[in-house]
Amino acid sequence: MNLDWINAMCYDYHGSWDVSSTGTLAALYDPNSNVSRSDGLESWIKARIHREKLVMGLPLYGRRWKLKNPSVHGIGAPAVGLRPGNEGAMLYSEVQEFNAQSNAKVVLDTQTVSYYSFAGTSWIGYDGVRSVERKIEYAGSLKIGGYFFWTVIGDQELEIS
């Protein structure tokens, strides 16, 4: 193969192209579809890409939806659009600030290995420290070439040890 590496963009699984319901930004697993990090990376491996040339992408931002009904707030909850801004995108530091200022309920969804938070009609899907750690462990178990973060301006206050 004549490539140094392949950056697999394992994020943006949900966003402005479907605003009818909330969704995980970068699910490790998705029990309801084959659109997930595990399905994507394993399809590259099945296609016989050299594992050491495969690099997994991780987002350092979240996406913010407007809930149709604030009492229905899980992954896949009905939504009426994204919040204003760059297609609902928020830097990780902005997600943390929103969570603190609005006293948002923060949930680590163990099925998808991703976070979401909600307060009122605002719902944000993102990765936090524990979900990133788990995804990095997963990359290690696949023995792939490594991982990268998108985008570098979003790395404020995210510490991975």
Side-chain angles (χ1 to χ4, degrees), residues 11-26 61-70 72-90 95 98 114-127:
Y11 46 86
D12 279 345
Y13 297 142
H14 297 277
S16 62
W17 48 95
D18 181 6
V19 296
S20 64
S21 62
T22 63
T24 60
L25 186 62
Y61 59 94
R63 289 215 188 268
R64 185 173 173 191
W65 276 262
K66 182 176 181 182
L67 292 170
K68 185 174 187 176
N69 178 348
V72 180
H73 46 70
I75 294 173
V80 292
L82 294 173
R83 287 293 187 176
N86 182 18
E87 297 181 333
M90 301 173 72
V95 172
F98 169 84
S114 59
Y115 279 89
Y116 68 89
S117 60
F118 59 93
T121 59
S122 290
W123 189 99
I124 306 169
Y126 62 99
D127 268 333

Side-chain angles (χ1 to χ4, degrees), residues 20-39:
S20 64
S21 62
T22 63
T24 60
L25 186 62
L28 178 54
Y29 307 105
D30 188 338
N32 300 315
S33 78
N34 64 352
V35 180
S36 70
R37 175 179 317 274
S38 60
D39 288 318

Side-chain angles (χ1 to χ4, degrees), residues 30-145:
D30 188 338
N32 300 315
S33 78
N34 64 352
V35 180
S36 70
R37 175 179 317 274
S38 60
D39 288 318
L41 291 173
E42 289 171 22
S43 70
W44 280 101
I45 291 167
K46 279 185 190 172
R48 303 210 288 207
I49 297 301
H50 297 281
R51 289 175 189 254
E52 69 276 3
K53 293 188 177 204
L54 185 57
V55 182
M56 176 186 73
L58 294 154
L60 291 176
Y61 59 94
R63 289 215 188 268
R64 185 173 173 191
W65 276 262
K66 182 176 181 182
L67 292 170
K68 185 174 187 176
N69 178 348
S71 65
V72 180
H73 46 70
I75 294 173
V80 292
L82 294 173
R83 287 293 187 176
N86 182 18
E87 297 181 333
M90 301 173 72
L91 297 175
Y92 180 74
S93 59
E94 293 171 327
V95 172
Q96 295 299 91
E97 186 176 306
F98 169 84
N99 289 346
Q101 288 180 353
S102 63
N103 198 27
K105 171 77 172 155
V106 175
V107 177
L108 171 57
D109 183 73
T110 56
Q111 278 196 310
T112 61
V113 189
S114 59
Y115 279 89
Y116 68 89
S117 60
F118 59 93
T121 59
S122 290
W123 189 99
I124 306 169
Y126 62 99
D127 268 333
V129 173
R130 295 195 42 102
S131 62
V132 168
E133 287 173 340
R134 177 64 185 98
K135 290 170 183 177
I136 290 171
E137 289 170 7
Y138 176 78
S141 75
L142 292 178
K143 298 185 180 1
I144 63 173

